[in-house]
Amino acid sequence: MSSEKARSEGIINPVLLEVKRQLQGQISIFSCEEFNGEPEAELPGYIDFLLSRSPEQLFIQAPAVILVSAKKEDLKRALGLCLAEMVAAQRFNRQKQQPRSTIYGTVTSGTVWRFLKLE
């Protein structure tokens, strides 16, 4: 698959939907949504994928727990972006009074996956 969008729809989204099925719908999955964990800190605006431990699917609710960045090639550069998204999720959860000790992130090209853990 030659584009980030094709990877997102063909590889990553089916994996995340299976996670949701395995957890019996107790999470919500958001794709290409605006997400400003702390706008004044200028943290990322749009995420590729975000999983929330809330089954509410209308809008992103705390706690945000996993962020996924789909990238075409340069995973090294994407790691920094994913980490910024994870910090934004940590701050979002704290602001919504649902802090979590751990936020997970992953950067993938669809075939190569790199996993991050923010404590």
Side-chain angles (χ1 to χ4, degrees):
M1 294 184 184
S2 62
S3 73
E4 289 177 23
K5 181 138 177 83
R7 285 182 180 92
S8 293
E9 292 176 1
I11 298 172
I12 300 164
N13 195 46
V15 169
L16 297 178
L17 289 174
E18 178 60 19
V19 169
K20 184 173 183 166
R21 188 187 73 73
Q22 291 285 327
L23 295 173
Q24 300 174 342
Q26 293 303 303
I27 63 168
S28 53
I29 301 170
F30 296 91
S31 174
C32 299
E33 293 279 334
E34 184 172 14
F35 181 67
N36 292 315
E38 193 170 7
E40 60 275 6
E42 298 181 21
L43 292 169
Y46 283 86
I47 45 93
D48 291 332
F49 292 96
L50 181 144
L51 276 71
S52 170
R53 290 204 50 181
S54 168
E56 176 62 52
Q57 194 71 51
L58 297 176
F59 54 90
I60 298 173
Q61 290 188 345
V65 291
I66 301 174
L67 295 110
V68 181
S69 292
K71 299 299 169 207
K72 186 173 180 179
E73 295 296 328
D74 190 2
L75 295 187
K76 185 176 178 180
R77 196 185 89 182
L79 287 170
L81 177 61
C82 187
L83 181 57
E85 292 170 346
M86 293 165 66
V87 170
Q90 187 179 54
R91 292 178 179 182
F92 173 78
N93 291 342
R94 193 175 315 129
Q95 181 183 40
K96 300 294 183 183
Q97 299 177 350
Q98 292 203 35
R100 290 292 180 265
S101 61
T102 305
I103 303 293
Y104 297 94
T106 185
V107 176
T108 182
S109 64
T111 54
V112 176
W113 294 72
R114 296 291 180 251
F115 298 92
L116 302 164
K117 180 178 178 182
L118 175 64
E119 296 181 308

